[in-house]
Amino acid sequence: MKRILLAFAVLLTMAACTEKKESAPATTDESATVTNSSEAAKAEEQRPAISDEERTANMAEVQAYLKECGAFFIATIDGDQPRVRPFGVSEIIDGKLYFCTGKVKDVYKQIAKNGKVEICALKASGSEWMRLYGTLVNDETLTVKETFLERNPHLKSMYKADDDNMSTLYITNATARFCSFSAEERDVFF
């Protein structure tokens, strides 16, 4: 029951944390796709330049938030349908924030087709949450997998570093938005 309530609370809080934008007219013409891709590229260029120290500190802050929340939810795209599922582990390894899943799972197949994801983590209070978005990239490095399993021994019953199933994915072009019912939203980048 708690998990159902948590999932419901996540959906409600995600809706509360959306940016207010003017709606654009719906269009199906291909030039609109090019324009939207161009707009996305411009938005990426507008990300503030940050130092390596700030990047590392931002990543550590996000990691600590995910750990404090325990469970967090990763949204992917399956064709034209969004899919959301709970995750519970993440690790910073070699300066990258990693997540782990199995290659046999639908979530992995969806990320392989479109690595853009959004993650939502809700604190136990229900009044603070973080949305993290970026692109997940698969990393088959054996030492990364071994480190991930060493830090999360409970996963050893499901994965082995040298099996053909375990996937470690790190996030790139990440933006984390910290939200609260009682404070202004704040973004960090890494």
Side-chain angles (χ1 to χ4, degrees):
M1 183 65 167
K2 282 184 179 180
R3 289 184 183 191
I4 293 170
L5 291 173
L6 178 62
F8 184 68
V10 166
L11 293 174
L12 289 175
T13 55
M14 286 175 67
C17 191
T18 57
E19 292 180 35
K20 295 179 182 172
K21 295 182 181 179
E22 290 183 29
S23 30
T27 173
T28 57
D29 114 15
E30 286 187 33
S31 65
T33 304
V34 172
T35 302
N36 290 338
S37 297
S38 173
E39 289 171 6
K42 286 179 188 174
E44 184 60 35
E45 289 172 7
Q46 293 174 358
R47 288 170 54 99
I50 59 173
S51 68
D52 287 342
E53 293 81 19
E54 188 176 1
R55 181 185 168 283
T56 300
N58 290 349
M59 188 182 308
E61 180 182 12
V62 168
Q63 168 70 356
Y65 201 99
L66 292 172
K67 294 257 186 203
E68 181 180 347
C69 291
F72 49 92
F73 297 83
I74 296 182
T76 60
I77 297 294
D78 183 13
D80 66 347
Q81 179 66 43
R83 303 286 182 196
V84 180
R85 73 270 294 150
F87 274 65
V89 293
S90 62
E91 295 295 337
I92 295 175
I93 304 170
D94 297 333
K96 297 175 184 170
L97 180 60
Y98 282 89
F99 304 91
C100 173
T101 192
K103 292 179 183 176
V104 297
K105 296 180 179 181
D106 288 341
V107 65
Y108 175 81
K109 295 170 187 170
Q110 292 155 12
I111 292 167
K113 287 183 183 175
N114 181 349
K116 292 182 181 178
V117 298
E118 187 156 333
I119 297 169
C120 186
L122 177 69
K123 286 192 176 180
S125 68
S127 63
E128 296 176 77
W129 62 97
M130 177 190 67
R131 289 175 30 212
L132 171 65
Y133 54 94
T135 303
L136 288 180
V137 177
N138 190 40
D139 184 348
E140 291 294 321
T141 307
L142 185 62
T143 56
V144 169
K145 292 179 179 184
E146 290 170 341
T147 302
F148 204 99
L149 289 174
E150 285 169 18
R151 294 182 189 173
N152 300 279
H154 63 283
L155 295 177
K156 289 181 179 181
S157 64
M158 294 188 296
Y159 303 114
K160 293 185 180 6
D162 61 353
D163 69 14
D164 288 331
N165 183 37
M166 183 180 183
S167 171
T168 47
L169 305 125
Y170 64 89
I171 192 163
T172 62
N173 299 320
T175 300
R177 174 165 292 156
F178 295 92
C179 304
S180 167
F181 289 129
S182 60
E184 275 196 46
E185 295 177 2
R186 178 176 61 88
D187 290 348
V188 301
F189 309 94
F190 62 93

